Amino acid sequence: MRRWDVEPLGSRMRSQPEVLLDSVFSKGKRNFSETVLKACYPSWSLEALLHQLWVETLYLLPSPLNFLRRDIVLNLEETMEFAELIKTPRADNVILHRPFYPLVEGTLCLTGHHLIFSSRRQDNVEELWLLHSNIDSIEKRFLGSLGTIIIKCKDLRIIQLDIPGMEESLNIASSIEALSTLDSITLMYPFFYRPMFEVIEDGWHSFLPEQEFELLSSLTNEWRLSYVNKDFSVCPSYPPIVTVPKSIDDESLCKVATFRHGGRFPVLSYYHKKNGMVMMRSSQPLTGTNGRRCKEDEKLINATLRAGKRGYIIDTRSLNIAQQARAKGGGFEQEAHYPQWRRIHKSIERYNILQESLIKLVEACNDQSHNMDRWLSKLEASNWLTHIKEILTTACLAAQCIDREGASVLVHGTEGTDSTLQVTSLAQIILDPRCRTIRGFEALVEREWLQAGHPFQLRCVQSAYSNSKQKWEAPVFLLFLDCVWQILRQFPCSFEFNYHFLIMLFEHSYASQFGTFLGNNENERCKLKLPQKTMSLWSWVNRPEELNRFKNPLFEANSLVIWPSVAPQSLQLWEGVFLRWNRSSKFLDESYEEMINIIKYNKELQVKVNMLRRQLAELETDDSTQDDGMPESP
């Protein structure tokens, strides 16, 4: 059997059929269903019966259960609250089109959260599982009685389904549109998904602030954990626990919160153990046109400076935009009130500009005209690589201030939830070798993106294909991952993870069976009770069998600071994301496998070399001993 998606629901149903029974049949119909099953297959065990039911329902093989199939699917949807949205739960003789694959005929089934396609081939059954939440838009075309549905996904793939019958096509298209745009978060798949793999660790508790603080407290005693935001009343987008200077009390923090946009007062982002310098992050100060000041804010920021040292404030807006913000009540730190700090403006775009850039880039990548001038012109017009350069340049500046200038840094833009997090997290990738390990990178994403309040629900609600653009969507996290890939490509031996790991994070940030990226901040996740009701992505990723897929075979621990080049010639299009559905990856996959084999063989040879060296050393030692014991010749 070949799978086109890693979604484990199918195998879960097949391996644990009692789950299927509970899902397919409501409690009132369970006894009837068991009776019918046993009547059709009297000699089979219940487990075998349910497995057969699952096979016959989704693979639609000839069987005595034919009359039950429609009822099975409908009962499944009733229990999942989506029956009214599925007008046609199944269609036969559907043709699936995918780039680089032959056409496949099979059966299409719709469930509450998945579009499921299963081929009719008996020799090699193929199936596609596609989350409805991964669907960005669909297009409908009709030619006579044949309907065509083109599905464009948030992970940038495009598939085409040819469905016989205009009514069936319209019904299926209508259902997909409805199921892929559910308003309620609690109706999304993570709330229904139940993993069948063994949970080795609870990912919701893998990267708690207290654990991170233990690492910090072993290096310095100048910081403390504050629980001032334990009920999210001081800052709705901050986590309940933050790290602040020990000399600043909670009462002062509350006053500073009223002076910062959205209550996002300066908190610790990174401590550089080499020289004790720190990086903090916040939102813009609310100075306004009257030049309002807050002495508690000035005291908090100055508490991070060493005697006689200056600091740098990196504002991710242009000076012009920062000045315009003053008219709306925002602004920037006045030099008169922050004399020990030098302010630097580095413009990083946001919101609709980034979204339009992604749309143009994907359009260019999907252009099959094969005209070089057209391709290069479209790539340049998208400005995607320009955004990459701006973000990396600013991150390098922050890292340089800390490591080379020996100065502490405060990073902020307007809200402090987008470009600010790009800069602080990338600066840590450059400075801290721990962040280049799998575990360290997961902690970075948790700390600097999820706990820091990046609004994933708003930013990732749509991708590059959606026809109804919303105001707050933007590929901020994807740009960050792209920047990490650029650094990984320049330093291929310094990262424990490979590019598959980054692609996996991109995919799950837009559509996932896990609850990690749901909600916009810790406040919302707490209200939704995600740790209690959903599974963490880290619980799945950190299983040994999954980790092996994401490990970089070239990795050699590098404790040094790495300085990526931001020259235009050094930046490339991330083919693994933007071209993987447009051209075959067969030869790249083969070369990657060959590289792994070479590395494995090299390690085996190295073991043999070391063994031979030990044997040679032992022989030389024995010879030396024998020579010492021989009498001198007369």
Side-chain angles (χ1 to χ4, degrees):
M1 181 184 300
R2 195 168 92 212
R3 295 291 300 273
W4 303 330
D5 199 339
V6 296
E7 172 53 45
L9 180 63
S11 59
R12 174 167 69 92
M13 290 296 195
R14 289 188 290 276
S15 63
Q16 302 230 357
E18 68 278 2
V19 177
L20 172 64
L21 186 65
D22 290 332
S23 299
V24 170
F25 300 106
S26 61
K27 293 180 180 178
K29 295 184 178 181
R30 177 163 181 160
N31 292 334
F32 167 76
S33 305
E34 290 184 22
T35 302
V36 172
L37 282 167
K38 290 177 180 177
C40 294
Y41 303 95
S43 63
W44 288 16
S45 66
L46 179 60
E47 180 175 345
L49 289 169
L50 291 171
H51 177 268
Q52 179 69 9
L53 174 61
W54 175 249
V55 169
E56 292 169 352
T57 301
L58 291 184
Y59 297 107
L60 306 174
L61 305 177
S63 83
L65 295 183
N66 190 51
F67 68 95
L68 275 179
R69 286 181 184 140
R70 179 177 173 82
D71 191 48
I72 289 168
V73 176
L74 288 177
N75 277 302
L76 171 62
E77 301 314 323
E78 285 174 0
T79 62
M80 300 179 77
E81 306 179 31
F82 302 116
E84 70 280 1
L85 300 179
I86 302 179
K87 301 174 183 178
T88 300
R90 193 197 86 190
D92 295 316
N93 304 314
V94 176
I95 304 295
L96 173 66
H97 301 254
R98 301 154 299 151
F100 315 112
Y101 288 94
L103 304 183
V104 181
E105 180 181 357
T107 298
L108 181 70
C109 291
L110 295 182
T111 72
H113 295 106
H114 287 85
L115 178 153
I116 307 168
F117 178 89
S118 178
S119 72
R120 290 182 174 275
R121 295 172 56 183
Q122 301 293 326
D123 57 332
N124 184 23
V125 175
E126 301 183 47
E127 56 181 23
L128 166 69
W129 292 72
L130 181 65
L131 275 171
H132 294 314
S133 58
N134 193 14
I135 297 175
D136 212 20
S137 69
I138 68 170
E139 297 176 6
K140 302 180 289 289
R141 299 174 186 171
F142 297 96
L143 181 61
S145 61
L146 180 67
T148 295
I149 299 177
I150 299 175
I151 298 175
K152 299 182 177 181
C153 303
K154 294 177 183 177
D155 61 9
L156 307 184
R157 78 177 116 171
I158 299 176
I159 62 175
Q160 177 180 321
L161 298 169
D162 293 339
I163 303 173
M166 183 174 295
E167 182 180 356
E168 287 80 359
S169 299
L170 286 172
N171 287 343
I172 289 173
S174 173
S175 297
I176 293 174
E177 286 178 331
L179 292 167
S180 62
T181 55
L182 296 173
D183 292 330
S184 175
I185 294 181
T186 56
L187 291 179
M188 292 184 175
Y189 186 47
F191 285 92
F192 296 81
Y193 172 70
R194 293 296 176 266
M196 288 298 111
F197 59 81
E198 181 183 0
V199 179
I200 300 174
E201 68 170 302
D202 182 1
W204 290 111
H205 297 93
S206 295
F207 307 105
L208 298 176
E210 295 91 340
Q211 298 169 352
E212 292 293 313
F213 185 74
E214 284 184 16
L215 298 175
L216 175 66
S217 59
S218 66
L219 302 173
T220 177
N221 61 356
E222 298 175 345
W223 298 81
R224 70 179 181 92
L225 288 179
S226 172
Y227 298 82
V228 68
N229 197 46
K230 61 183 179 181
D231 57 357
F232 303 104
S233 60
V234 176
C235 177
S237 62
Y238 265 179
I241 308 172
V242 292
T243 304
V244 296
K246 184 177 288 187
S247 60
I248 306 300
D249 58 30
D250 285 352
E251 183 179 353
S252 297
L253 293 178
C254 292
K255 293 180 180 179
V256 177
T258 63
F259 181 68
R260 293 279 171 173
H261 185 103
R264 295 178 67 88
F265 55 88
V267 297
L268 180 68
S269 174
Y270 171 68
Y271 179 89
H272 197 42
K273 61 182 179 181
K274 173 183 174 180
N275 56 15
M277 297 299 104
V278 301
M279 179 166 54
M280 301 186 75
R281 51 176 162 77
S282 69
S283 59
Q284 67 174 341
L286 303 178
T287 56
T289 55
N290 297 325
R292 178 188 171 201
R293 66 182 295 189
C294 175
K295 292 185 177 181
E296 288 80 9
D297 185 82
E298 298 162 18
K299 181 181 178 182
L300 192 162
I301 295 177
N302 288 333
T304 66
L305 296 178
R306 299 289 174 84
K309 290 284 188 176
R310 290 174 58 88
Y312 291 91
I313 298 175
I314 298 179
D315 194 325
T316 61
R317 306 166 294 178
S318 66
L319 177 58
N320 184 42
I321 292 178
Q323 289 175 335
Q324 292 176 7
R326 295 177 62 183
K328 300 177 182 179
F332 48 85
E333 292 81 1
Q334 301 289 329
E335 293 181 4
H337 302 150
Y338 301 85
Q340 294 175 276
W341 293 83
R342 178 189 171 192
R343 193 177 71 252
I344 303 174
H345 290 271
K346 301 292 289 185
S347 178
I348 297 177
E349 299 293 354
R350 44 184 279 186
Y351 296 158
N352 61 312
I353 294 178
L354 298 181
Q355 187 64 20
E356 287 299 321
S357 178
L358 175 63
I359 293 170
K360 291 179 180 178
L361 175 63
V362 173
E363 179 185 340
C365 292
N366 290 338
D367 188 344
Q368 300 298 318
S369 64
H370 305 294
N371 181 294
M372 179 62 76
D373 292 338
R374 182 183 177 90
W375 157 247
L376 293 176
S377 175
K378 282 193 167 187
L379 179 61
E380 181 183 11
S382 73
N383 282 323
W384 185 264
L385 292 179
T386 300
H387 300 317
I388 296 291
K389 184 181 187 303
E390 291 172 348
I391 296 167
L392 278 174
T393 299
T394 308
C396 287
L397 172 63
Q400 183 175 346
C401 291
I402 293 171
D403 185 71
R404 293 182 174 176
E405 299 291 329
S408 290
V409 171
L410 170 65
V411 183
H412 73 72
T414 301
E415 293 92 354
T417 57
D418 294 291
S419 59
T420 298
L421 307 183
Q422 289 173 329
V423 172
T424 58
S425 50
L426 286 169
Q428 292 178 60
I429 293 285
I430 294 169
L431 294 170
D432 188 1
R434 174 175 170 249
C435 294
R436 296 173 225 143
T437 66
I438 292 178
R439 194 86 184 179
F441 191 82
E442 291 172 353
L444 180 72
V445 170
E446 188 73 33
R447 182 178 66 250
E448 291 298 298
W449 290 89
L450 293 162
Q451 295 172 8
H454 176 65
F456 279 98
Q457 201 70 40
L458 291 175
R459 299 290 182 264
C460 300
V461 66
Q462 295 170 347
S463 185
Y465 296 124
S466 180
N467 299 317
S468 56
K469 296 306 171 188
Q470 298 184 10
K471 185 177 180 182
W472 305 113
E473 64 194 11
V476 177
F477 188 62
L478 174 56
L479 273 165
F480 159 68
L481 295 175
D482 198 330
C483 289
V484 176
W485 177 80
Q486 302 287 344
I487 304 175
L488 187 156
R489 192 182 57 80
Q490 294 183 30
F491 297 89
C493 300
S494 296
F495 289 80
E496 186 186 15
F497 51 85
N498 56 30
Y499 69 92
H500 293 294
F501 184 67
L502 300 176
I503 293 174
M504 177 273 298
L505 290 174
F506 154 62
E507 292 176 338
H508 282 275
S509 67
Y510 277 90
S512 178
Q513 65 267 39
F514 303 104
T516 301
F517 291 106
L518 290 182
N520 294 305
N521 48 57
E522 291 295 281
N523 187 9
E524 291 186 9
R525 295 184 189 101
C526 183
K527 291 178 179 177
L528 291 168
K529 298 182 178 179
L530 293 184
Q532 295 80 30
K533 295 184 177 182
T534 70
M535 178 62 57
S536 168
L537 173 64
W538 314 129
S539 297
W540 171 67
V541 171
N542 290 329
R543 297 162 64 231
E545 54 268 42
E546 297 300 331
L547 279 178
N548 289 332
R549 295 196 299 118
F550 300 130
K551 285 186 176 179
N552 176 13
L554 297 176
F555 175 63
E556 293 181 5
N558 177 10
S559 61
L560 301 175
V561 175
I562 56 176
W563 298 102
S565 170
V566 295
Q569 299 89 335
S570 302
L571 305 179
Q572 295 185 8
L573 178 68
W574 190 2
E575 300 175 9
V577 166
F578 299 110
L579 296 179
R580 62 176 170 156
W581 307 114
N582 301 330
R583 68 182 192 186
S584 175
S585 62
K586 175 185 176 182
F587 300 112
L588 287 175
D589 294 340
E590 289 177 354
S591 63
Y592 186 79
E593 288 298 323
E594 183 63 23
M595 180 186 72
I596 292 177
N597 291 334
I598 292 173
I599 293 171
K600 182 180 178 181
Y601 183 58
N602 181 65
K603 289 180 178 179
E604 292 174 355
L605 291 177
Q606 192 64 49
V607 171
K608 291 181 180 179
V609 167
N610 293 336
M611 181 181 66
L612 291 173
R613 283 176 175 168
R614 285 195 301 268
Q615 291 177 356
L616 178 61
E618 291 173 359
L619 289 173
E620 290 176 343
T621 301
D622 292 342
D623 290 344
S624 176
T625 303
Q626 291 176 6
D627 290 343
D628 292 342
M630 292 179 62
E632 295 184 4
S633 56

